[in-house]
Amino acid sequence: MFEWPNNARCAVSFSFDDARASQIEFGIPCFDRYELKATFFVLPNGLKQNHSKWIEAEKNGHEIGNHTLSHPCSGKYDFSKNNATEDYSLEQIQQEIDGASDLIESVFGQRPKVFAYPCCETAVGTGDSRQSYIPLIRERFVAARGGGGEPCLPEEVNFGFLNATRMDTATTGELIGAMELARQGGQWIVFLAHDTEPGSPSQGVSLEVLDEVLQWVSQQKDVWCAPIGEVADWTKSHLVG
Ligand SMILES: [Zn+2]
């Protein structure tokens, strides 16, 4: 029978994308106040801007994940029409992924074990030549975060595409409610957000909300909060046998 560590009734992982400056300025200090650890799926530009602070965050127990080098997404978005997954081959996306792992290794001294799909997309090419790159990801990472979908029981987790619950623009009540449901169900809930700023960021979680949510988490003895890689390792090693 599967059990979470230390008699916890559920697991929660917080993840943030793109290495945005607001994560360094507000988000990480908030996690540090409550001695909680999160996963950050970084991009080279954001990493460069706050190089020494990212190194400090990783040393302090936060997890650094791969989010590719140049964040290719569908050309249907304005920001990616010149870097569209429709124009990528599997070889090219593989270079994006391995290049980002090389960069992370050169900065932090170890290769990332988790990945987040840019825009939650999992395929490259168009029409008949459209191909999933999930197999490439499965070969290289312990777990990869997608988006959408409900939190899962440990037995049901798809490590090649973890369901994730959006924190961007959510309220404290919604986020605590989602964790209470995960606790009732014995599930692993993975959160995903972008900016972490005071007020109401348009693509992000309000710092006030994040603070209230983390305070709540820190007070629950039966909620296990850990980075994605750590929960994935625990789940995989405790599922079998
Ligand atoms: Zn992203």
Side-chain angles (χ1 to χ4, degrees), residues 11-71:
V12 54
S13 299
F14 292 92
S15 66
F16 298 85
D17 290 5
D18 310 340
R20 298 188 183 192
S22 63
Q23 296 164 6
I24 284 288
E25 190 174 354
F26 303 111
I28 290 174
C30 192
F31 276 89
D32 291 347
R33 263 200 301 284
Y34 296 105
E35 295 182 3
L36 297 170
K37 309 299 175 197
T39 301
F40 295 87
F41 294 103
V42 300
L43 290 174
N45 277 346
L47 202 54
K48 213 184 294 169
Q49 273 172 32
N50 286 293
H51 195 259
S52 59
K53 294 216 164 136
W54 282 112
I55 290 176
E56 192 185 318
E58 195 269 347
K59 279 212 180 90
N60 201 12
H62 297 293
E63 177 175 46
I64 302 296
N66 184 320
H67 198 38
T68 72
L69 284 174
S70 72
H71 207 279

Side-chain angles (χ1 to χ4, degrees), residues 67-239:
H67 198 38
T68 72
L69 284 174
S70 72
H71 207 279
C73 291
S74 169
K76 72 184 183 204
Y77 302 114
D78 259 0
F79 68 86
S80 53
K81 61 173 187 265
N82 297 320
N83 188 32
T85 42
E86 288 86 346
D87 301 329
Y88 270 73
S89 64
L90 273 185
E91 290 70 26
Q92 286 169 313
I93 196 75
Q94 184 181 327
Q95 285 166 12
E96 278 279 327
I97 296 158
D98 290 341
S101 285
D102 290 345
L103 175 75
I104 289 169
E105 185 176 17
S106 75
V107 173
F108 300 98
Q110 55 183 343
R111 292 183 89 68
K113 60 183 192 186
V114 292
F115 177 82
Y117 297 94
C119 304
C120 303
E121 291 173 15
T122 56
V124 291
T126 47
D128 287 349
S129 63
R130 190 147 177 88
Q131 279 180 291
S132 166
Y133 68 89
I134 295 178
L136 288 178
I137 296 300
R138 283 188 172 277
E139 280 169 16
R140 288 164 171 76
F141 300 97
V142 170
R145 201 213 62 216
E150 298 292 311
C152 284
L153 284 170
E155 299 79 12
E156 296 165 346
V157 171
N158 176 358
F159 292 97
F161 190 90
L162 301 177
N163 288 350
T165 302
R166 284 190 175 266
M167 292 183 86
D168 290 348
T169 72
T171 64
T172 304
E174 287 166 350
L175 297 173
I176 291 177
M179 287 186 282
E180 283 176 331
L181 278 180
R183 176 161 62 185
Q184 281 166 27
Q187 293 153 335
W188 176 18
I189 181 165
V190 178
F191 285 113
L192 117 84
H194 293 83
D195 280 310
T196 52
E197 283 170 0
S200 333
S202 58
Q203 199 192 23
V205 56
S206 150
L207 184 62
E208 293 79 7
V209 169
L210 184 66
D211 189 81
E212 287 167 356
V213 164
L214 296 185
Q215 183 179 42
W216 184 87
V217 169
S218 71
Q219 291 165 346
Q220 312 304 307
K221 290 200 168 56
D222 54 2
V223 173
W224 180 40
C225 177
I228 290 175
E230 197 177 330
V231 178
D233 280 342
W234 174 276
T235 306
K236 285 187 176 183
S237 61
H238 289 77
L239 273 178

